[in-house]
Amino acid sequence: MIDLSEKPRMMRAVGFYKYLPIEHPESLLDIEVPKPFPKGRDILVEVKAISVNPADPIVRAYDNKVGEPPYLLGWDVAGVVEQVGPECTLFQPGDEVFYAGSLIRSGCNSEFHLVDERIVGRKPASLDFANAASLPLTTITAWEGLFDRFGISQDLEANRNKSILIIGAAGGVGSIAVQIANLAGLTVIGTASRPESIQWVNELGVNFVINHYEALLPQLHKIGFDQVDYIFCLNNTDQHWNNMTEVIAPQGKICLIVENEAPIALGLLKSKSVTVVWETMFTRSTFNTEDIEEQHRLLNRLAELVDEGKIRTTVTEKISPINAANLKLAHAKIESGKTIGKIVLGPVRKLYNS
C-alpha cells in the first residue's frame, strides 16, 4: 500500500524549461513544483506579491541556468513568513517581509519561496503587499550604488554643493535613486525623453531634466553646469559612454549597472582621474560576503523611510493574479524599454487552501 503522506507537498509556480522569445507559447508556463522546506538560516515565505525587473527577461535568456529545469524567475517579493530554519534569529512565522532574493537560487514566481533571512527586511507597515513588492531590488541597487559604490556621505551638509546625473531616471532604479539622492542633499539632474517620463521624474523631485538622446554637455550648459560630480548610468552603457566622459568632473565617479557590449574606452577618463565602479545588488548574496546582512539592515531602514513618508513607492501598474499569461505580459512590457516605474503582480492562486 502506498503511503500518500510521503508524497511531496506541491505548490503552484510559473517557470520555463528553455529560453524562448516571450511571445512563444512555452516561454513561461504554469507549473507545479515541490514546496521547499527551510534549513539553516533560510525562511519560507508565502508570496503575496511580486514585481518584475529588467533582470527577469535578461536571466530568462541565459543559456546556463542554475540547477535543473523547470527554472523559476523573480527577484522582488512581499509576503508572510510561514516557517523558519533552525538557525534563524531575525524572523518568526507570521512576520510580514520584503526582499529581492538571490540569482543563484530559485526565483520567487511561486506560492512559496525560500530565502536567506540575512537579505530580508520587515515590510513597511504603511504599505500593502503589492506596493511593498515594488521596492527591494531597485532600492538596494540605488542605495548600494550611491552609498557603497560612490561612497556618498549621508550628511546633507557634505553634499550641499555636489551634483549627480542619473541616466534613466524614470525607470525602476532611477525612480528610487532620484528620491535617495534628494534625501542625501545632492543636486539631482535626471534624464528622460518622453512627456510622461519627464512628468514622472519631476514628480519624484529631480532638480533638472535633460534628454539622454541628445548630447549631454550642451544641455548641462543650458541649466548652468559645466560638469557633474557623479553619474549613475542605469541603461545602455555603450550609448552614453562618450557623453559621460565629457561631463564627469575631474576626480568624479561613474557607476554602471548595465554591461557594455562593445569595449569602453577607459582611457578617455585617465586625465581626469575618474573612478568607474559597478553595482550589482546580487553580489552579496551570490558570494555570501561577510557583510551580507547589510541588505537586511538596508531594507529595514527603507521601511522606516517609507513609513515616515520620505520615500514613495514607484508602482505604475498592477496585474493580478500571478500566472504565466500575466508574467508574459509584464516581461513584454519590460522588454519594450519604455516602462516607467514598476509593474507588480499578485497574488498566486493557491493549489491548496489549507
Side-chain angles (χ1 to χ4, degrees), residues 213-239:
Y213 289 114
E214 300 175 10
L216 299 181
L217 188 58
Q219 294 181 84
L220 287 178
H221 285 163
K222 286 182 181 180
I223 59 175
F225 291 82
D226 293 322
Q227 58 196 17
V228 290
D229 300 292
Y230 306 100
I231 300 176
F232 205 170
C233 184
L234 305 176
N235 63 35
N236 206 327
T237 299
D238 298 277
Q239 174 187 338

Side-chain angles (χ1 to χ4, degrees), residues 82-314:
E82 181 176 89
Q83 291 177 279
V84 301
E87 299 174 19
C88 287
T89 60
L90 302 176
F91 297 101
Q92 297 177 349
D95 288 343
E96 296 184 350
V97 297
F98 71 148
Y99 60 92
S102 168
L103 273 182
I104 61 174
R105 304 184 68 172
S106 184
C108 66
N109 293 345
S110 53
E111 281 186 75
F112 297 90
H113 186 240
L114 207 58
V115 63
D116 187 319
E117 68 168 355
R118 296 173 296 172
I119 59 172
V120 177
R122 295 189 180 276
K123 182 181 78 67
S126 59
L127 296 184
D128 61 17
F129 288 105
N131 279 285
S134 72
L135 289 169
L137 187 147
T138 53
T139 302
I140 294 171
T141 302
W143 190 286
E144 290 183 349
L146 292 169
F147 300 127
D148 295 344
R149 312 306 171 217
F150 281 139
I152 291 172
S153 172
Q154 295 187 43
D155 178 2
L156 293 178
E157 287 302 317
N159 299 323
R160 191 163 299 281
N161 297 315
K162 298 287 187 179
S163 58
I164 184 169
L165 171 63
I166 300 175
I167 298 177
V173 177
S175 297
I176 295 293
V178 167
Q179 298 180 71
I180 298 174
N182 263 327
L183 287 177
L186 294 161
T187 298
V188 183
I189 304 165
T191 76
S193 59
R194 293 173 290 141
E196 57 268 34
S197 58
I198 293 171
Q199 178 181 345
W200 174 255
V201 297
N202 276 319
E203 290 173 358
L204 292 173
V206 295
N207 299 103
F208 303 96
V209 184
I210 62 177
N211 191 329
H212 45 246
Y213 289 114
E214 300 175 10
L216 299 181
L217 188 58
Q219 294 181 84
L220 287 178
H221 285 163
K222 286 182 181 180
I223 59 175
F225 291 82
D226 293 322
Q227 58 196 17
V228 290
D229 300 292
Y230 306 100
I231 300 176
F232 205 170
C233 184
L234 305 176
N235 63 35
N236 206 327
T237 299
D238 298 277
Q239 174 187 338
H240 303 299
W241 182 253
N242 287 341
N243 268 314
M244 289 191 283
T245 63
E246 285 187 340
V247 302
I248 189 66
Q251 303 185 88
K253 294 183 179 180
I254 298 173
C255 183
L256 311 172
I257 71 168
V258 179
E259 292 181 19
N260 51 296
E261 295 183 5
I264 55 177
L266 285 172
L268 295 175
L269 300 172
K270 180 181 178 182
S271 63
K272 292 183 178 180
S273 298
V274 169
T275 299
V276 179
V277 295
W278 288 97
E279 161 54 21
T280 302
M281 63 130 298
F282 294 115
T283 296
R284 284 174 161 135
S285 58
T286 298
F287 296 98
N288 191 29
T289 60
E290 290 184 0
D291 63 349
I292 186 173
E293 203 166 313
E294 283 301 312
Q295 289 193 348
H296 165 70
R297 288 186 278 271
L298 187 164
L299 289 171
N300 281 349
R301 178 59 182 143
L302 168 63
E304 292 173 357
L305 291 170
V306 170
D307 289 338
E308 291 167 2
K310 295 178 179 178
I311 294 286
R312 55 170 281 191
T313 67
T314 57

